[in-house]
Amino acid sequence: MNQDLTEQSSSRLLSRNSLSDPAVWACIVSILVGVSFWWIAPLIYTNDTPGYIEGARALLGLSGGNYSYWRTPGFPFFVLSTGVATGLTLHLLVLLQLLMGVLIPVLIYCSLSWINRWLALSASILCSLSLVPFLNVAYIMPNQLFCFTVALATYVACRYLETRNVKYL
């Protein structure tokens, strides 16, 4: 029974004209605005950035590592996962932050689409055009990760409210 429902859902998604789907347009606008902003935005390396890189180095046990307990606890793990702590380039970290920026308007659309799809599309496009999801893309600080986590938590809460299914908690 569940396999039949899964096959029906996937065939509906494949047969649907994707350009008429507002979610596709939300994603397209978000990608265009995000990549355009990323292309012109300079990389911002502040005096606090080395503290997060040192925290990631401390997690690896490398020399020069010093973890400050009062800093954002999750960001050194993110820095560590992108390879910045081992001396690799910052480009992977910036690209992942760009991906998070692109996904924020999509998450807004998905959060509101159960209420009204056109309201959700409008909110998503306004979010993209406001540049708020992209302001922290080139900023080597935890701000982008925080904004993405808030958008993701909002999406999870809306999915739970829509379905009342505890798997979203």
Side-chain angles (χ1 to χ4, degrees):
M1 177 74 176
N2 286 340
Q3 187 177 9
D4 293 338
L5 289 175
T6 306
E7 289 174 6
Q8 288 174 354
S9 298
S10 55
S11 66
R12 259 188 295 139
L13 287 174
L14 294 174
S15 67
R16 199 162 57 165
N17 184 0
S18 60
L19 288 180
S20 66
D21 187 9
V24 172
W25 285 104
C27 192
I28 289 171
V29 169
S30 182
I31 289 170
L32 290 175
V33 172
V35 170
S36 300
F37 186 78
W38 173 71
W39 188 259
I40 63 171
L43 186 63
I44 302 170
Y45 193 89
T46 69
N47 60 347
D48 285 335
T49 302
Y52 291 107
I53 295 174
E54 289 173 8
R57 291 180 65 80
L59 291 172
L60 280 178
L62 297 174
S63 64
N66 180 21
Y67 186 74
S68 302
Y69 67 89
W70 49 269
R71 291 205 178 267
T72 307
F75 194 65
F77 290 105
F78 182 67
V79 170
L80 183 65
S81 70
T82 61
V84 173
T86 58
L88 294 177
T89 180
L90 294 169
H91 292 295
L92 180 59
L93 181 121
V94 172
L95 284 174
L96 286 175
Q97 290 191 152
L98 174 63
L99 178 65
M100 286 187 267
V102 166
L103 289 176
I104 288 171
V106 175
L107 286 171
I108 288 173
Y109 173 81
C110 293
S111 298
L112 297 174
S113 64
W114 66 284
I115 298 170
N116 184 314
R117 288 177 57 180
W118 296 109
L119 170 72
L121 179 63
S122 300
S124 175
I125 290 175
L126 282 174
C127 178
S128 292
L129 295 178
S130 74
L131 299 180
V132 169
F134 311 109
L135 292 177
N136 297 309
V137 165
Y139 191 49
I140 312 302
M141 293 292 286
N143 303 358
Q144 186 70 10
L145 189 60
F146 175 76
C147 291
F148 177 74
T149 305
V150 168
L152 186 61
T154 303
Y155 167 73
V156 169
C158 287
R159 288 294 294 170
Y160 172 73
L161 290 174
E162 175 187 6
T163 63
R164 300 288 184 199
N165 192 339
V166 293
K167 78 176 184 180
Y168 292 107
L169 292 180

